[in-house]
Amino acid sequence: MNDAFQLLPYVSALNDKMIKYYSDKYFNILNPKFIKVVTKDNEPIGFFVGLPSLSKAMQKAKGSLFPFGFIHVLKALKKPEAIDMLLTGVTQQYQNAGIAAILISELQEEMIKQGITTMETTGIFETNPNVINNWKNFDHIQHKRRRCYYKEI
């Protein structure tokens, strides 16, 4: 991940302690069906981490897991309607080698098996044409835009 994101602005490398923390915290709850990895010579060169979308479930639960909101969340995890794309990365050396297309194809195959028709991507830098171009052949809409402004004092 550090190699894949190294050239992106505002992204800091993770140290070993942080990697262990996030791995321990999140990998136990992720569904392996929505995690895809491409390797070469037994080394990972690209990855995708997805999660069944919980947006509609949390809306139905009115933002609360208790007393019965957790039922909506469990249903969404078991039979998802959409996937949230959490992380995708390809090492610098292979960024123009079609690895992202392989990852998307593998994920799309799993989504078809599960009856899932939509995916929500996380933040993508507008200045990152490599990632934006991955979606040019799909029906897509941009419906969110995030901005960060700063002012020196």
Side-chain angles (χ1 to χ4, degrees):
M1 188 166 106
N2 287 337
D3 182 69
F5 296 155
Q6 140 186 7
L7 297 179
L8 293 176
Y10 317 111
V11 176
S12 299
L14 298 176
N15 62 35
D16 290 341
K17 186 177 177 182
M18 294 163 76
I19 292 169
K20 179 165 177 24
Y21 171 79
Y22 289 119
S23 297
D24 291 345
K25 183 170 182 163
Y26 294 108
F27 280 121
N28 292 331
I29 62 169
L30 294 173
N31 185 337
K33 292 177 183 177
F34 304 119
I35 298 174
K36 304 296 177 190
V37 179
V38 174
T39 61
K40 182 174 182 184
D41 301 326
N42 291 326
E43 290 293 318
I45 59 172
F47 65 91
F48 173 93
V49 179
L51 176 72
S53 179
L54 302 178
S55 298
K56 287 185 180 179
M58 290 305 290
Q59 289 171 353
K60 288 179 184 176
K62 296 185 172 59
S64 180
L65 290 177
F66 300 105
F68 301 110
F70 70 93
I71 294 170
H72 298 292
V73 172
L74 291 175
K75 283 182 184 177
L77 289 171
K78 188 171 183 152
K79 183 99 174 89
E81 296 177 13
I83 292 293
D84 284 337
M85 184 172 86
L86 302 179
L87 283 173
T88 304
V90 176
T91 59
Q92 297 293 316
Q93 181 180 356
Y94 294 99
Q95 285 198 349
N96 293 316
I99 303 303
I102 292 170
L103 290 165
I104 291 169
S105 175
E106 290 290 318
L107 177 68
Q108 190 174 23
E109 189 176 305
E110 186 61 42
M111 288 173 65
I112 290 168
K113 284 183 196 173
Q114 303 287 328
I116 301 167
T117 58
T118 59
M119 177 192 306
E120 177 85 21
T121 61
T122 56
I124 297 173
F125 287 114
E126 292 172 310
T127 57
N128 192 345
N130 291 340
V131 174
I132 293 168
N133 285 335
N134 287 330
W135 303 105
K136 68 182 176 205
N137 296 322
F138 292 90
D139 290 335
H140 62 279
I141 58 168
Q142 179 179 347
H143 62 98
K144 295 177 186 171
R145 183 168 288 179
R146 296 182 180 119
R147 292 278 188 263
C148 183
Y149 299 96
Y150 69 94
K151 180 179 179 180
E152 293 192 28
I153 301 177

